[in-house]
Amino acid sequence: LLLPLAAAFAPTAFLRRHHTHTELDAVGIVFGTSTGSTEEVADFIAARINSVVGSGTCSDPICVDNVVGSLSSTFSKFDQVICGTPTWNTGADTERSGTAWDEVYYGEMGDLNLEGKPVAVFGLGDQESYGENYADASGELFDVLQKLGVKSFGQTTVDDSYVHEESKAQRGDKFVGLMCDQANQDDLTEERVEKWVGQLVEEGFFSGEGSSPPPVAATAAAAVEVEVSETPIVQVVKDSSKAPSSSVSYESTWKGYRNEEKGSTLWVNKDNQKESYTTQN
Ligand SMILES: Cc1cc2nc3c(=O)[nH]c(=O)nc-3n(C[C@H](O)[C@H](O)[C@H](O)COP(=O)(O)O)c2cc1C
């Protein structure tokens, strides 16, 4: 299943930056996840960046659970950072990710020196089941980063493809970053990721030359200098060992999300997704 999805991200042409910046791992992606979808989108974004901006530009996405306690050294490894989160904890005002982000927002993150660091945010939610709270946690992630003085990139226009009613990730007619919905609109994710990475290029995110993101239309001509070669399509093959660690099983009423790392299963009521419980085994 993963291979065709990833292969769909193969670029139609191989675009390569042809000036100065050649350092590897310029971009880091740090994500949280409970059931693997945010990791999947993080992998798509990384693959797209490496195809469009240059191979090795973006390192393997890092799960925030694995870097609690060493966030400072993690963030300082990269020139630019992309942060991603799902939304859980419906109804709460804060600590909405359901991941280790919640443990660090109002503690460890306060000690980070991110003043002026280029940062972009992406988030996942479920517009059908949580239409009044769609991707709320992305708004919280964005706000925490803003308070630390980061330079924000990649805010997107809320277009007609979104069907939610309310979202704390929406500010006026913009989302704070790239919003995806793997529950209802996974068929739109490829296009959304491609468009967003293109927007980040136009905004100067990868060149380190961007200031506050100007309107996209005004910057179309100022995209990073690129060279289109006739190199055949690059096949993006996912390493199966990096597949999300969760697996899904169904019972009559409950849908179980197995998390191998934690040795637990989260059971969500299929008729009312706000009801859930966790079993350890
Ligand atoms: C118990 C529960 C609560 C959720 N709360 C929200 C919510 O408030 N807003 C939203 O947009 N999505 C909500 N979701 C949907 C998840 O954010 C969505 O399934 C997401 O893709 C999960 O990402 P992950 O697999 O990376 O954890 C919730 C899902 C569950 C099971």
Side-chain angles (χ1 to χ4, degrees), residues 31-40 85-91 96-99 124-127 129-137 180-183 246 257 266-268 273-276:
F31 67 91
T33 187
S34 289
T35 54
S37 297
T38 311
E39 177 170 20
E40 202 176 8
T85 183
T87 292
W88 294 66
N89 297 341
T90 315
R96 294 292 305 276
S97 82
T99 73
L124 272 74
D126 176 340
Q127 296 164 88
S129 305
Y130 302 94
E132 292 177 2
N133 296 92
Y134 173 55
D136 279 357
C180 296
D181 182 343
Q182 291 299 86
S246 309
Y257 296 91
L266 172 74
W267 295 95
V268 178
Q273 291 200 7
K274 290 178 188 172
E275 270 183 44
S276 63

Short mmCIF file of all heavy atoms in Angstrom, two decimals, residues 31-40 85-91 96-99 124-127 129-137 180-183 246 257 266-268 273-276, ligand 1:
data_model
loop_
_atom_site.label_atom_id
_atom_site.label_comp_id
_atom_site.label_asym_id
_atom_site.label_seq_id
_atom_site.Cartn_x
_atom_site.Cartn_y
_atom_site.Cartn_z
N PHE A 31 7.54 15.85 14.23
CA PHE A 31 6.09 15.62 14.23
C PHE A 31 5.67 14.85 15.48
O PHE A 31 6.47 14.15 16.09
CB PHE A 31 5.67 14.82 12.97
CG PHE A 31 6.21 13.41 12.99
CD1 PHE A 31 5.46 12.37 13.54
CD2 PHE A 31 7.47 13.11 12.50
CE1 PHE A 31 5.95 11.07 13.59
CE2 PHE A 31 7.98 11.83 12.55
CZ PHE A 31 7.22 10.80 13.09
N GLY A 32 4.40 14.98 15.82
CA GLY A 32 3.79 14.11 16.82
C GLY A 32 2.76 13.24 16.13
O GLY A 32 2.23 13.60 15.08
N THR A 33 2.48 12.07 16.67
CA THR A 33 1.44 11.21 16.10
C THR A 33 0.93 10.24 17.14
O THR A 33 1.67 9.84 18.04
CB THR A 33 1.97 10.43 14.88
OG1 THR A 33 0.88 9.74 14.26
CG2 THR A 33 3.05 9.42 15.26
N SER A 34 -0.36 9.87 17.04
CA SER A 34 -0.88 8.79 17.87
C SER A 34 -1.11 7.55 17.03
O SER A 34 -0.88 6.43 17.48
CB SER A 34 -2.20 9.19 18.52
OG SER A 34 -1.99 10.15 19.50
N THR A 35 -1.61 7.73 15.81
CA THR A 35 -1.98 6.56 15.01
C THR A 35 -1.28 6.52 13.65
O THR A 35 -1.68 5.76 12.77
CB THR A 35 -3.51 6.49 14.83
OG1 THR A 35 -3.99 7.73 14.30
CG2 THR A 35 -4.20 6.25 16.16
N GLY A 36 -0.26 7.35 13.47
CA GLY A 36 0.61 7.19 12.29
C GLY A 36 0.34 8.10 11.11
O GLY A 36 1.19 8.24 10.23
N SER A 37 -0.83 8.76 11.07
CA SER A 37 -1.15 9.56 9.88
C SER A 37 -0.24 10.78 9.73
O SER A 37 0.16 11.15 8.63
CB SER A 37 -2.60 10.02 9.91
OG SER A 37 -3.46 8.91 9.89
N THR A 38 0.09 11.42 10.84
CA THR A 38 0.93 12.61 10.76
C THR A 38 2.35 12.23 10.33
O THR A 38 3.01 12.97 9.59
CB THR A 38 0.94 13.37 12.11
OG1 THR A 38 -0.41 13.54 12.54
CG2 THR A 38 1.59 14.73 11.97
N GLU A 39 2.78 11.05 10.74
CA GLU A 39 4.08 10.57 10.28
C GLU A 39 4.06 10.33 8.78
O GLU A 39 5.02 10.66 8.07
CB GLU A 39 4.45 9.27 11.01
CG GLU A 39 5.77 8.70 10.51
CD GLU A 39 6.29 7.55 11.36
OE1 GLU A 39 5.49 6.94 12.09
OE2 GLU A 39 7.49 7.28 11.28
N GLU A 40 2.94 9.79 8.30
CA GLU A 40 2.83 9.52 6.87
C GLU A 40 2.94 10.82 6.07
O GLU A 40 3.68 10.90 5.08
CB GLU A 40 1.46 8.87 6.62
CG GLU A 40 1.38 8.08 5.36
CD GLU A 40 0.03 7.37 5.23
OE1 GLU A 40 -0.88 7.61 6.05
OE2 GLU A 40 -0.10 6.59 4.30
N THR A 85 1.52 18.24 13.68
CA THR A 85 0.76 17.65 14.79
C THR A 85 -0.63 17.19 14.35
O THR A 85 -1.25 17.83 13.50
CB THR A 85 0.61 18.68 15.94
OG1 THR A 85 -0.07 18.06 17.03
CG2 THR A 85 -0.19 19.90 15.50
N PRO A 86 -1.13 16.12 14.95
CA PRO A 86 -2.56 15.80 14.79
C PRO A 86 -3.35 16.57 15.86
O PRO A 86 -2.75 17.28 16.67
CB PRO A 86 -2.61 14.30 15.10
CG PRO A 86 -1.48 14.08 16.06
CD PRO A 86 -0.43 15.12 15.76
N THR A 87 -4.66 16.44 15.85
CA THR A 87 -5.48 17.04 16.90
C THR A 87 -6.29 15.96 17.61
O THR A 87 -6.94 15.14 16.96
CB THR A 87 -6.46 18.07 16.30
OG1 THR A 87 -5.71 19.19 15.81
CG2 THR A 87 -7.46 18.57 17.33
N TRP A 88 -6.21 15.94 18.94
CA TRP A 88 -7.02 15.04 19.76
C TRP A 88 -7.61 15.88 20.89
O TRP A 88 -7.71 17.10 20.73
CB TRP A 88 -6.15 13.88 20.31
CG TRP A 88 -5.64 12.96 19.22
CD1 TRP A 88 -4.77 13.29 18.22
CD2 TRP A 88 -6.01 11.60 19.00
NE1 TRP A 88 -4.56 12.20 17.40
CE2 TRP A 88 -5.31 11.15 17.85
CE3 TRP A 88 -6.84 10.70 19.66
CZ2 TRP A 88 -5.43 9.85 17.35
CZ3 TRP A 88 -6.95 9.40 19.17
CH2 TRP A 88 -6.26 8.99 18.02
N ASN A 89 -7.96 15.29 21.99
CA ASN A 89 -8.41 16.05 23.16
C ASN A 89 -9.47 17.10 22.84
O ASN A 89 -9.39 18.25 23.27
CB ASN A 89 -7.22 16.74 23.85
CG ASN A 89 -6.22 15.74 24.37
OD1 ASN A 89 -6.56 14.57 24.54
ND2 ASN A 89 -5.00 16.18 24.62
N THR A 90 -10.48 16.69 22.06
CA THR A 90 -11.55 17.61 21.69
C THR A 90 -12.14 18.29 22.92
O THR A 90 -12.43 17.63 23.91
CB THR A 90 -12.68 16.84 20.97
OG1 THR A 90 -12.06 15.99 20.02
CG2 THR A 90 -13.63 17.79 20.28
N GLY A 91 -12.34 19.58 22.86
CA GLY A 91 -12.97 20.30 23.95
C GLY A 91 -11.98 20.99 24.86
O GLY A 91 -12.32 21.97 25.52
N ARG A 96 -3.57 19.99 22.99
CA ARG A 96 -4.56 19.35 22.14
C ARG A 96 -4.00 18.28 21.21
O ARG A 96 -4.74 17.70 20.44
CB ARG A 96 -5.24 20.43 21.27
CG ARG A 96 -6.08 21.42 22.03
CD ARG A 96 -7.30 20.74 22.62
NE ARG A 96 -8.05 20.06 21.60
CZ ARG A 96 -8.95 20.63 20.81
NH1 ARG A 96 -9.21 21.89 20.97
NH2 ARG A 96 -9.59 19.93 19.89
N SER A 97 -2.68 18.07 21.23
CA SER A 97 -2.13 17.19 20.20
C SER A 97 -2.33 15.71 20.51
O SER A 97 -2.36 14.88 19.62
CB SER A 97 -0.63 17.47 20.01
OG SER A 97 0.13 16.82 20.99
N GLY A 98 -2.42 15.37 21.80
CA GLY A 98 -2.46 13.96 22.17
C GLY A 98 -1.12 13.28 21.98
O GLY A 98 -1.03 12.05 21.93
N THR A 99 -0.06 14.08 21.85
CA THR A 99 1.29 13.53 21.65
C THR A 99 2.24 14.22 22.63
O THR A 99 1.83 15.06 23.43
CB THR A 99 1.81 13.81 20.22
OG1 THR A 99 2.16 15.20 20.12
CG2 THR A 99 0.78 13.47 19.17
N LEU A 124 -2.94 17.74 11.02
CA LEU A 124 -3.97 16.82 10.56
C LEU A 124 -5.18 16.89 11.47
O LEU A 124 -5.06 17.15 12.66
CB LEU A 124 -3.45 15.38 10.57
CG LEU A 124 -2.75 14.93 9.29
CD1 LEU A 124 -1.38 15.57 9.20
CD2 LEU A 124 -2.64 13.43 9.25
N GLY A 125 -6.34 16.65 10.88
CA GLY A 125 -7.56 16.58 11.66
C GLY A 125 -8.61 15.85 10.86
O GLY A 125 -8.33 15.32 9.78
N ASP A 126 -9.80 15.83 11.38
CA ASP A 126 -10.91 15.10 10.76
C ASP A 126 -12.09 16.06 10.66
O ASP A 126 -12.76 16.35 11.66
CB ASP A 126 -11.21 13.89 11.64
CG ASP A 126 -12.42 13.08 11.17
OD1 ASP A 126 -13.25 13.62 10.41
OD2 ASP A 126 -12.55 11.92 11.60
N GLN A 127 -12.32 16.59 9.46
CA GLN A 127 -13.35 17.63 9.28
C GLN A 127 -14.77 17.11 9.43
O GLN A 127 -15.68 17.86 9.75
CB GLN A 127 -13.24 18.24 7.88
CG GLN A 127 -11.96 18.97 7.63
CD GLN A 127 -11.74 19.21 6.16
OE1 GLN A 127 -12.18 20.20 5.61
NE2 GLN A 127 -11.07 18.28 5.50
N SER A 129 -15.90 14.38 11.43
CA SER A 129 -16.26 14.03 12.82
C SER A 129 -16.01 15.17 13.79
O SER A 129 -16.61 15.22 14.86
CB SER A 129 -15.46 12.82 13.29
OG SER A 129 -15.65 11.74 12.42
N TYR A 130 -15.09 16.07 13.45
CA TYR A 130 -14.72 17.15 14.38
C TYR A 130 -14.74 18.49 13.65
O TYR A 130 -13.82 19.29 13.76
CB TYR A 130 -13.33 16.87 14.98
CG TYR A 130 -13.25 15.56 15.71
CD1 TYR A 130 -12.81 14.41 15.05
CD2 TYR A 130 -13.66 15.45 17.04
CE1 TYR A 130 -12.77 13.18 15.71
CE2 TYR A 130 -13.61 14.24 17.70
CZ TYR A 130 -13.17 13.10 17.04
OH TYR A 130 -13.14 11.91 17.69
N GLY A 131 -15.85 18.71 12.92
CA GLY A 131 -15.95 19.90 12.07
C GLY A 131 -15.85 21.22 12.82
O GLY A 131 -15.45 22.23 12.24
N GLU A 132 -16.20 21.21 14.11
CA GLU A 132 -16.12 22.47 14.86
C GLU A 132 -14.76 22.65 15.54
O GLU A 132 -14.52 23.66 16.19
CB GLU A 132 -17.24 22.53 15.90
CG GLU A 132 -18.59 22.65 15.23
CD GLU A 132 -19.74 22.63 16.22
OE1 GLU A 132 -19.47 22.57 17.43
OE2 GLU A 132 -20.88 22.66 15.75
N ASN A 133 -13.93 21.65 15.42
CA ASN A 133 -12.61 21.70 16.07
C ASN A 133 -11.51 21.25 15.11
O ASN A 133 -10.49 20.70 15.54
CB ASN A 133 -12.58 20.78 17.30
CG ASN A 133 -13.54 21.23 18.37
OD1 ASN A 133 -14.69 20.80 18.41
ND2 ASN A 133 -13.09 22.14 19.20
N TYR A 134 -11.73 21.47 13.82
CA TYR A 134 -10.82 20.88 12.83
C TYR A 134 -9.37 21.36 13.05
O TYR A 134 -9.09 22.57 13.01
CB TYR A 134 -11.28 21.22 11.41
CG TYR A 134 -10.30 20.78 10.35
CD1 TYR A 134 -9.88 19.46 10.28
CD2 TYR A 134 -9.77 21.69 9.45
CE1 TYR A 134 -8.96 19.05 9.33
CE2 TYR A 134 -8.86 21.28 8.48
CZ TYR A 134 -8.45 19.97 8.43
OH TYR A 134 -7.53 19.57 7.50
N ALA A 135 -8.50 20.41 13.28
CA ALA A 135 -7.05 20.66 13.37
C ALA A 135 -6.70 21.76 14.37
O ALA A 135 -5.70 22.46 14.22
CB ALA A 135 -6.49 20.98 11.99
N ASP A 136 -7.51 21.90 15.41
CA ASP A 136 -7.27 22.94 16.42
C ASP A 136 -5.83 22.94 16.94
O ASP A 136 -5.24 23.99 17.20
CB ASP A 136 -8.19 22.72 17.64
CG ASP A 136 -9.59 23.27 17.41
OD1 ASP A 136 -9.83 23.86 16.34
OD2 ASP A 136 -10.45 23.08 18.30
N ALA A 137 -5.27 21.76 17.13
CA ALA A 137 -3.94 21.66 17.76
C ALA A 137 -2.86 22.35 16.93
O ALA A 137 -1.84 22.79 17.47
CB ALA A 137 -3.56 20.20 17.98
N CYS A 180 -4.15 18.96 6.52
CA CYS A 180 -4.54 17.76 5.79
C CYS A 180 -5.62 17.02 6.57
O CYS A 180 -5.85 17.28 7.75
CB CYS A 180 -3.34 16.84 5.59
SG CYS A 180 -2.06 17.57 4.55
N ASP A 181 -6.27 16.12 5.88
CA ASP A 181 -7.33 15.32 6.51
C ASP A 181 -7.25 13.91 5.94
O ASP A 181 -7.85 13.61 4.91
CB ASP A 181 -8.69 15.96 6.22
CG ASP A 181 -9.85 15.21 6.88
OD1 ASP A 181 -9.66 14.05 7.27
OD2 ASP A 181 -10.94 15.79 6.98
N GLN A 182 -6.48 13.07 6.60
CA GLN A 182 -6.28 11.70 6.11
C GLN A 182 -7.51 10.83 6.34
O GLN A 182 -7.63 9.76 5.76
CB GLN A 182 -5.05 11.05 6.77
CG GLN A 182 -3.72 11.63 6.35
CD GLN A 182 -3.43 11.50 4.87
OE1 GLN A 182 -3.83 12.34 4.08
NE2 GLN A 182 -2.74 10.44 4.47
N ALA A 183 -8.43 11.30 7.19
CA ALA A 183 -9.63 10.51 7.47
C ALA A 183 -10.64 10.62 6.32
O ALA A 183 -11.31 9.66 5.98
CB ALA A 183 -10.27 10.97 8.78
N SER A 246 1.87 1.89 13.97
CA SER A 246 0.54 1.51 14.42
C SER A 246 -0.14 0.62 13.39
O SER A 246 0.09 0.76 12.21
CB SER A 246 -0.31 2.74 14.61
OG SER A 246 0.35 3.68 15.39
N TYR A 257 -6.51 1.12 17.40
CA TYR A 257 -5.26 1.60 16.82
C TYR A 257 -4.12 1.04 17.67
O TYR A 257 -3.91 1.48 18.79
CB TYR A 257 -5.19 3.13 16.85
CG TYR A 257 -6.25 3.80 16.00
CD1 TYR A 257 -7.48 4.15 16.56
CD2 TYR A 257 -6.00 4.10 14.67
CE1 TYR A 257 -8.44 4.77 15.79
CE2 TYR A 257 -6.97 4.73 13.90
CZ TYR A 257 -8.18 5.06 14.47
OH TYR A 257 -9.13 5.68 13.73
N LEU A 266 -5.35 1.82 21.28
CA LEU A 266 -6.36 2.83 21.54
C LEU A 266 -7.64 2.41 20.82
O LEU A 266 -7.64 2.16 19.62
CB LEU A 266 -5.90 4.19 20.98
CG LEU A 266 -6.96 5.28 21.00
CD1 LEU A 266 -7.17 5.78 22.43
CD2 LEU A 266 -6.57 6.42 20.10
N TRP A 267 -8.73 2.29 21.56
CA TRP A 267 -10.01 1.88 20.98
C TRP A 267 -10.91 3.09 20.86
O TRP A 267 -11.17 3.78 21.85
CB TRP A 267 -10.66 0.80 21.84
CG TRP A 267 -9.86 -0.47 21.88
CD1 TRP A 267 -8.95 -0.83 22.82
CD2 TRP A 267 -9.88 -1.52 20.91
NE1 TRP A 267 -8.39 -2.05 22.50
CE2 TRP A 267 -8.96 -2.50 21.34
CE3 TRP A 267 -10.60 -1.73 19.73
CZ2 TRP A 267 -8.72 -3.67 20.61
CZ3 TRP A 267 -10.37 -2.90 19.01
CH2 TRP A 267 -9.43 -3.85 19.46
N VAL A 268 -11.39 3.36 19.64
CA VAL A 268 -12.25 4.51 19.41
C VAL A 268 -13.62 4.01 18.95
O VAL A 268 -13.70 3.15 18.07
CB VAL A 268 -11.64 5.44 18.35
CG1 VAL A 268 -12.56 6.62 18.08
CG2 VAL A 268 -10.27 5.92 18.80
N GLN A 273 -16.77 9.13 17.80
CA GLN A 273 -15.30 9.10 17.93
C GLN A 273 -14.80 9.83 19.17
O GLN A 273 -13.61 9.82 19.47
CB GLN A 273 -14.66 9.70 16.68
CG GLN A 273 -14.84 8.82 15.48
CD GLN A 273 -13.83 9.13 14.40
OE1 GLN A 273 -12.91 9.91 14.57
NE2 GLN A 273 -14.00 8.50 13.25
N LYS A 274 -15.70 10.51 19.87
CA LYS A 274 -15.24 11.19 21.08
C LYS A 274 -15.07 10.20 22.23
O LYS A 274 -14.48 10.52 23.25
CB LYS A 274 -16.21 12.31 21.46
CG LYS A 274 -16.10 13.45 20.45
CD LYS A 274 -17.06 14.57 20.71
CE LYS A 274 -16.98 15.54 19.52
NZ LYS A 274 -17.97 16.58 19.55
N GLU A 275 -15.63 8.99 22.08
CA GLU A 275 -15.47 7.96 23.11
C GLU A 275 -14.27 7.10 22.77
O GLU A 275 -14.20 6.53 21.68
CB GLU A 275 -16.70 7.06 23.15
CG GLU A 275 -17.78 7.52 24.07
CD GLU A 275 -18.91 6.50 24.07
OE1 GLU A 275 -18.65 5.29 24.12
OE2 GLU A 275 -20.06 6.95 23.97
N SER A 276 -13.33 7.00 23.70
CA SER A 276 -12.16 6.16 23.43
C SER A 276 -11.58 5.65 24.74
O SER A 276 -11.83 6.23 25.80
CB SER A 276 -11.10 6.96 22.67
OG SER A 276 -10.65 8.04 23.45
C1 LIG B 1 -10.53 10.49 20.29
C2 LIG B 1 -10.22 11.33 19.08
C3 LIG B 1 -10.31 12.73 19.17
C4 LIG B 1 -10.06 13.54 18.05
N1 LIG B 1 -10.22 14.91 18.14
C5 LIG B 1 -10.09 15.66 16.99
C6 LIG B 1 -10.39 17.06 17.01
O1 LIG B 1 -10.77 17.65 18.03
N2 LIG B 1 -10.24 17.76 15.85
C7 LIG B 1 -9.83 17.16 14.69
O2 LIG B 1 -9.69 17.85 13.67
N3 LIG B 1 -9.54 15.83 14.65
C8 LIG B 1 -9.67 15.08 15.76
N4 LIG B 1 -9.40 13.74 15.71
C9 LIG B 1 -8.94 13.14 14.43
C10 LIG B 1 -7.43 13.01 14.36
O3 LIG B 1 -6.78 14.24 14.52
C11 LIG B 1 -7.08 12.43 12.99
O4 LIG B 1 -7.58 11.11 12.91
C12 LIG B 1 -5.61 12.45 12.70
O5 LIG B 1 -5.40 12.05 11.37
C13 LIG B 1 -4.81 11.53 13.62
O6 LIG B 1 -3.46 11.68 13.33
P1 LIG B 1 -2.37 10.65 13.87
O7 LIG B 1 -2.66 9.33 13.18
O8 LIG B 1 -1.06 11.21 13.42
O9 LIG B 1 -2.49 10.58 15.34
C14 LIG B 1 -9.65 12.93 16.82
C15 LIG B 1 -9.55 11.53 16.75
C16 LIG B 1 -9.86 10.74 17.85
C17 LIG B 1 -9.80 9.25 17.68
#
